[in-house]
Amino acid sequence: MILSMLAVGAVGAGAYVLIPHDTKGDRILPIDYSSSLASARRAAPYQLLGPADLPAGWKATSVEYKKDPAGHAVWHLGFETPSRQYAAIEQSDGARADVLKATVPGGQADGESKLGAQDWQRLQGERYRALTVQTGKATTVVTGTASYDELGVLAQSLK
């Protein structure tokens, strides 16, 4: 019985050594969102915003443009930040209170950030923090687990 266990252990150890392992630990695959952004801009009933010239280290991870059940146009673009946190752009022409409730659960006012010529309201939620501004007919929210500084970098890149 001991010899059988040693044989099984040797086969298991050999398999472990011979099977390639991911040494980076980076399992997030960046996506190209440029065509999705162009399509969404043509379809959106408001000025849809996307990042321009983000600094190195930002990886787009998710993109979606859809109509919600109430018929509102919803834009989402998610990123991994240089500090490996989550950040996203959320835009909708739905009611501002509903957009904020959906994107920053438990969000409470946390001051303001002046980014360029615009004042962005800061929100701190249960899990996410956010910067938000009204842009024409849409509510724009830059949200995530990233710091307000990183969220500010993303917000300032929006065009």
Side-chain angles (χ1 to χ4, degrees), residues 68 138 152:
D68 69 11

Side-chain angles (χ1 to χ4, degrees), residues 104 121-124 128-132 141-144 148 151:
V104 192
Q121 181 185 6
R122 292 166 61 154
L123 298 174
Q124 179 62 56
Y128 297 132
R129 66 185 53 87
L131 298 171
T132 181
V141 182
V142 177
T143 186
Y148 282 125
L151 295 177

Side-chain angles (χ1 to χ4, degrees), residues 4 9 15 31 38 85 90 94 98-99 136 140 144 147 151:
S4 296
I31 62 166
Q85 294 297 312
E90 308 285 350
D98 294 340
V99 173
T140 301
S147 67
L151 295 177

Side-chain angles (χ1 to χ4, degrees), residues 87-100:
I89 302 159
E90 308 285 350
Q91 250 187 318
S92 176
D93 59 351
R96 181 174 174 77
D98 294 340
V99 173
L100 295 177

Side-chain angles (χ1 to χ4, degrees), residues 11 15 28 45 52 59-60 82-84 88 92-93 101 109 111 135 141 145 158:
V11 169
I28 296 177
K59 292 184 210 167
S83 68
R84 299 186 60 95
S92 176
D93 59 351
K101 185 177 176 182
T135 51
V141 182
T145 58
L158 297 179

Side-chain angles (χ1 to χ4, degrees), residues 36 39-41 43-46 48 63-77 90-94 102:
S36 296
S39 295
R41 281 185 168 153
Y46 52 83
L48 194 129
V63 62
E64 182 178 41
Y65 177 78
K66 65 179 183 180
K67 295 281 185 173
D68 69 11
H72 300 292
V74 179
W75 166 244
H76 161 85
L77 180 56
E90 308 285 350
Q91 250 187 318
S92 176
D93 59 351

Side-chain angles (χ1 to χ4, degrees), residues 22 24 26-32 59-62 78-80:
D22 180 9
K24 289 183 182 178
D26 188 6
R27 300 194 186 277
I28 296 177
L29 300 175
I31 62 166
D32 180 9
K59 292 184 210 167
T61 58
S62 59
F79 288 90
E80 180 186 61

